[in-house]
Structures are given as C-alpha cells and as structure tokens.
Amino acid sequence: MLEHRVAGATTTARLPLSAPELRTAVQGWNRLTSALQRTWADRMVRRGLLGTSLMAAGSVSPAFLPENTFVEPASPLIQRFGLEWLGTGAGRVVTTVLLAVGMALLVDAWLRMRPAHGRKAPSLAWLLWSLPIMLAPPLFSRDAYSYAAQGQIVLRGMDPYAVGPFWVPGPFADQVDPMWVNTPAPYGPLALQMQHLVVSFLPENAYLSALAMRVPALLAVGVLAYALPRLAERYGVSGRHALWIGVLNPLVLMHFVGGAHGDSVMVALVTLALLLASRGQLVVASMTIAVAAAYKQTAVLALIGVVGMALQAQTDLAPGASARLRAMLRHGAVHGAIVLATFAAITQASGLGWGWIPNLSVPVTLRSLLSPPTFVGSAVEWLMRVGGMPESLYSAPVPIAQTIGMVAGLAGIAWVTWRVAPRNPVLATAGSLLVLCASGPVVHPWYLLWGGLLLAAVRLSARQVRAVVFVTLFFVTYGVVDATVVNGTWALGVSAALWMASRLRANRRRAQEQADEPVPAAVLPRL
C-alpha cells in the first residue's frame, strides 16, 4: 500500500467487520437512510416541506421577531440582508401570505397522508417538516423568549422562583412578552435546568438561546414518534394511524417545534411512561412520570394510567366495587410514592427547591377566552356591564365561573379514574388531561396536545377521527388568524380561515368516499 511506504506513516487498527457494535451501527445507519429515502419519495412529504419552508420565510416579521428588530437602527442581520422593508406594511402583507400559504400546504399534505387503503404515513416526515422551522423565530407564542430569560436567571445564580426576567435586563428581558417580565417561573425544576443548560451554550445571545429551546422540543417529538405508535399497537390500534394523528399533526409542528414549548417534553415522557407500563415495567414508568412532572407538573395525571395498568395486571383481584377501590388505592399509594420520591430527588439535585408551588397561579393572571369557564364568566360580566351594574358585582362572575370549572374538572377526573382507568388506561389518561385542560381557567392551543395526542393510541371511530381533524383545523386556523392580527393583516387571516373551512369540507367528503375506518394494527408493519 502506498501509504505504508511513506516514511513515518502510521497505521490504525481497524475493527473487524463482524464486531457486533459495528454491525449494529451499520444496520442502524442503513435503516435510517432507507427510512429517509422512503419518506422523501412521498410527494405529500415534499409538499409539507415546502409548506414549513414558506412558514419559516413568513416568520421573518414583527409578529414573531423581538419587538425592536425592525426599529431603526434595525437588527444587524436584518440590515445585512436588506430586509428592513419586511417591517413595513407591504412587508407584513408578504410575510403573512407566505405564512398562510405555507400553513395551508402543510395542512393539505397532512390530510392527504392519512393512512387508508394501504397508504402508510412516512415515519420520518415529522423530521423533514421540522428542519425549516428550526431556523425560524419562535412561532405562535413568545414563551421561548421567556425560557431563555429564565435560563439566564439560573445561569447568574438567582432564584427563578423568586424573580422574573426583569432581573436580567438587556436583550434577555427585552424580548419577553411584557405580561411576563415581572413574573417568576411556574415550571418544574428540570425544565428550568434544561433552559439553563441551553443558555449556557449561548450566554451572550438572547435570540439564539430562544431558538435553541427547540432542540429539546425536537428530541421530544422524536421520542413521541417512537413511543406513540408502539403504545397504540399494544392496544390493537394501527401504529401508522397513531403516527399520522399524533406526531404528524400540524399542531405538533406549530406549537411543539415552532413554539418550542416545554409541554412537548412532558407529553413525550408521559407517552413513554405509558408504553413502559403497558410492558409491565410499572416502577420505571412511575419514575418516568416523575421526570415528566419535573418538567411540567401536569404530568402527574398520567399516574391514573399507570394505576389502571397495574390493576389490569393484578391476577388476584376479587370481584366487586369495594375490592377494586382498595386495589386502586393500594396501587395509587405505591406508585404515587415512587413518583413523589423521584420528583423530590430531582428537585434536590436541581438545587432550585419547591418555589414553583406558589407560582402555579401565575398563568391564571391571563384571561383566556379559550377556557370554557373563563369564557362563560366573561360573557356574564359583559352582560352585567352593559346592564349598568356596579363593579363590585360584575367583577365576580369570572372567578366564580373559574372556581366552578375547577371543581367540575376534579369531579370529572375522579369519574374518569374510577370508570375508565380499569378498562382503558390510555383513554383514562388522555381523558383526565383533556378534562383538566377544558376546566382550567387558562387554555392555550398547545394544552390540547396534553391528552389529545394520546387519543392516537386509542381505537377511534370514523366520526371521532373526523372530530380530531376538525379540532386540529380549528386551532390551526386560530393560530394563523391570531398571527395575522398581530401583523396588522387580519383580512388575510379571515381568508385563511375560509380556506381551512373548505379543506375540512373536502376532507370530510373524501373520508366518506374512502370508508376510512382505522386500519387494524396487524395490517401494517411495525415502525
């Protein structure tokens, strides 16, 4: 060999091709490249990729970028590419059109990819669709900017449960929504340490720190893409259908990847915990729930699913309601103790303490009309205002309605736990999370993904699938219209809403023609 004849040349030992580690790595690489090729070959994947690319291009606007980006002197990056005009009226129209058309293409691709008559949803479409969004500013929410500020607070050695972004003045505080500048963090200690870790790589760049919050979110979607189809298959539901409903759903791209919400990590870990529990690994599943709750506390409701699976696994359960109640209380105490101990250990290791408990009321300061109790209370308040009633009276309906909503929500969760968990633990978990969302005082579109994605692992009728599609298109439209209003181009948002309505009608007609009941898991290959 020529390289052996060169003076001073050294040779490196090669691992034998038959080494198990090398063979496994090569096989994994081949599977990945093969999956990517199959995914790229699908015309709808390419259409969806074009859609997310247009969304990324349309996000370069005042609707999503920090407020001072287009203020003279404009951001250096905006100046370098001569994009100052995007902050003008004409520029806002252009970016809004790009965003709306991109979202329309993504939705159209998703609807056409629905598994029916042997069609399979490509397993890595979510990854290709996410790539353009990873480079866009935070979409449909400014929470990622708050995450960056909270990470900076921890990095500087301050208590994020005691101070808000105001205490890190400059770029980190300036890009946070003014509503949350003075509010401390309500998130779990693991979420704050993850934000700290992300910011530690970019401690001097607030904007890139916010963008980097998408890294854990994208990894979470990857975990979801692994766990959700497998969980579905364990309950006799098509894994490909679960992938289509729960992972390729446009709301996942909009809010988990685009918005970089920490809810993505929580939902992914809850799904993984339910998969582990379905395999009989109940202790590990409970510990996983604790990890998810350390990210966002809502995850504790997944304990309902674990208790339900533990009840199903019990072979000596005596008949009768009293025996079932005792068994549920026993399993709840055991696995609840595991969750609490693991959560306490994570909290101790984080060094951040339990300051999030009094801060749970922070999000409630926002009046969210998407919340049914808040909407009803606000409607009554408006009627009382119009009727000329004094402030002492018309200020009462909203908190009263919210209190009633929370009480009704707790009752609903208790009913789901008792009636549904023993028969269908996954549905019980999804139902309890959705009840909590609907009965809470604040609802954001991504809150519906807490339990909504788990419905992908439940056998749904054709009518129920159409309901999922309707809700998805409604909240996609809501997000697009909201962005157009912020951009001062609300008329285009109304046009986008009309298009979404027409697409829903066309999809319903196509679904009826295809007789599209979910395909049994046995018909489709395992992911």
Side-chain angles (χ1 to χ4, degrees):
M1 296 295 180
L2 179 61
E3 63 270 24
H4 290 173
R5 298 170 188 168
V6 178
T10 60
T11 60
T12 57
R14 294 183 179 180
L15 289 175
L17 293 178
S18 59
E21 297 84 359
L22 181 59
R23 186 166 57 250
T24 301
V26 171
Q27 290 173 349
W29 174 255
N30 289 338
R31 284 196 298 269
L32 176 62
T33 54
S34 177
L36 284 171
Q37 290 171 356
R38 289 195 305 271
T39 300
W40 180 252
D42 191 301
R43 186 164 60 93
M44 290 302 105
V45 172
R46 298 195 296 272
R47 177 177 296 188
L49 180 61
L50 175 60
T52 56
S53 299
L54 291 178
M55 288 170 57
S59 67
V60 186
S61 74
F64 301 116
L65 288 166
E67 292 184 359
N68 60 353
T69 301
F70 294 98
V71 177
E72 294 295 337
S75 167
L77 197 61
I78 295 295
Q79 291 180 358
R80 179 179 301 176
F81 292 98
L83 299 177
E84 294 91 344
W85 67 278
L86 292 178
T88 65
R92 289 170 183 256
V93 170
V94 170
T95 55
T96 301
V97 169
L98 290 174
L99 177 71
V101 171
M103 200 71 242
L105 285 172
L106 176 63
V107 168
D108 187 60
W110 177 65
L111 291 175
R112 292 176 184 273
M113 286 172 61
R114 179 176 182 175
H117 299 298
R119 177 182 177 84
K120 305 171 185 176
S123 58
L124 293 180
W126 64 271
L127 179 59
L128 294 182
W129 288 354
S130 298
L131 294 180
I133 299 177
M134 293 294 289
L135 302 176
L139 300 178
F140 306 105
S141 168
R142 305 184 72 85
D143 281 7
Y145 296 126
S146 295
Y147 297 164
Q150 288 161 182
Q152 183 72 354
I153 288 172
V154 179
L155 184 65
R156 294 187 181 181
M158 292 182 281
D159 183 0
Y161 294 137
V163 301
F166 173 81
W167 291 87
V168 285
F172 280 91
D174 292 344
Q175 62 187 7
V176 175
D177 190 313
M179 179 177 294
W180 310 119
V181 168
N182 292 301
T183 56
Y187 306 110
L190 188 59
L192 291 171
Q193 287 296 0
M194 178 62 74
Q195 295 160 10
H196 172 209
L197 176 64
V198 171
V199 172
S200 66
F201 287 102
L202 300 160
E204 304 302 325
N205 195 313
Y207 179 70
L208 291 182
S209 293
L211 261 60
M213 296 298 164
R214 286 200 176 107
V215 174
L218 185 67
L219 294 175
V221 176
V223 172
L224 191 66
Y226 167 83
L228 188 60
R230 287 165 172 79
L231 178 64
E233 289 177 355
R234 291 195 64 84
Y235 285 90
V237 179
S238 163
R240 293 289 182 177
H241 207 270
L243 181 76
W244 176 73
I245 292 180
V247 182
L248 303 183
N249 192 302
L251 292 176
V252 172
L253 275 296
M254 288 176 66
H255 298 299
F256 279 4
V257 181
H261 290 289
D263 306 63
S264 59
V265 178
M266 184 267 286
V267 172
L269 290 173
V270 163
T271 307
L272 181 61
L274 292 177
L275 176 62
L276 292 169
S278 71
R279 294 173 175 174
Q281 300 171 275
L282 297 173
V283 173
V284 179
S286 299
M287 296 175 70
T288 305
I289 290 174
V291 177
Y295 220 92
K296 188 155 188 172
Q297 301 87 339
T298 314
V300 296
L301 287 179
L303 190 61
I304 293 172
V306 172
V307 170
M309 293 182 192
L311 200 65
Q312 290 180 339
Q314 184 175 340
T315 58
D316 60 346
L317 181 62
S322 59
R324 182 175 64 172
L325 177 60
R326 288 194 299 271
M328 292 182 73
L329 291 175
R330 183 173 64 254
H331 291 306
V334 170
H335 295 288
I338 294 172
V339 170
L340 181 59
T342 306
F343 188 96
I346 294 172
T347 301
Q348 181 65 29
S350 73
L352 296 177
W354 300 79
W356 54 268
I357 295 177
N359 294 348
L360 289 177
S361 61
V362 167
V364 183
T365 58
L366 174 69
R367 179 171 292 197
S368 170
L369 295 183
L370 288 177
S371 162
T374 302
F375 178 82
V376 171
S378 298
V380 174
E381 178 189 280
W382 179 79
L383 291 173
M384 295 176 71
R385 282 174 180 266
V386 171
M389 294 187 178
E391 182 179 358
S392 59
L393 292 179
Y394 71 66
S395 61
V398 171
I400 290 175
Q402 290 176 342
T403 301
I404 294 173
M406 287 188 287
V407 172
L410 291 174
I413 292 171
W415 183 87
V416 168
T417 302
W418 175 250
R419 299 289 297 178
V420 182
R423 294 182 288 107
N424 194 328
V426 177
L427 179 60
T429 305
S432 61
L433 289 168
L434 289 173
V435 168
L436 177 66
C437 173
S439 63
V442 175
V443 173
H444 295 296
W446 54 92
Y447 285 10
L448 272 76
L449 300 178
W450 295 348
L453 296 189
L454 289 175
L455 291 178
V458 176
R459 185 171 293 279
L460 302 175
S461 67
R463 179 176 296 181
Q464 290 166 337
V465 172
R466 286 197 294 270
V468 171
V469 171
F470 174 80
V471 172
T472 297
L473 293 189
F474 174 83
F475 281 99
V476 166
T477 305
Y478 175 87
V480 173
V481 172
D482 184 61
T484 61
V485 171
V486 173
N487 229 6
T489 52
W490 62 269
L492 293 173
V494 173
S495 301
L498 293 175
W499 183 91
M500 291 290 183
S502 68
R503 283 301 302 133
L504 178 63
R505 184 175 181 180
N507 176 75
R508 182 176 182 178
R509 184 167 56 250
R510 185 188 306 115
Q512 291 173 342
E513 292 171 355
Q514 292 176 343
D516 53 358
E517 285 287 346
V519 184
V523 177
L524 298 177
R526 187 176 179 85
L527 284 177

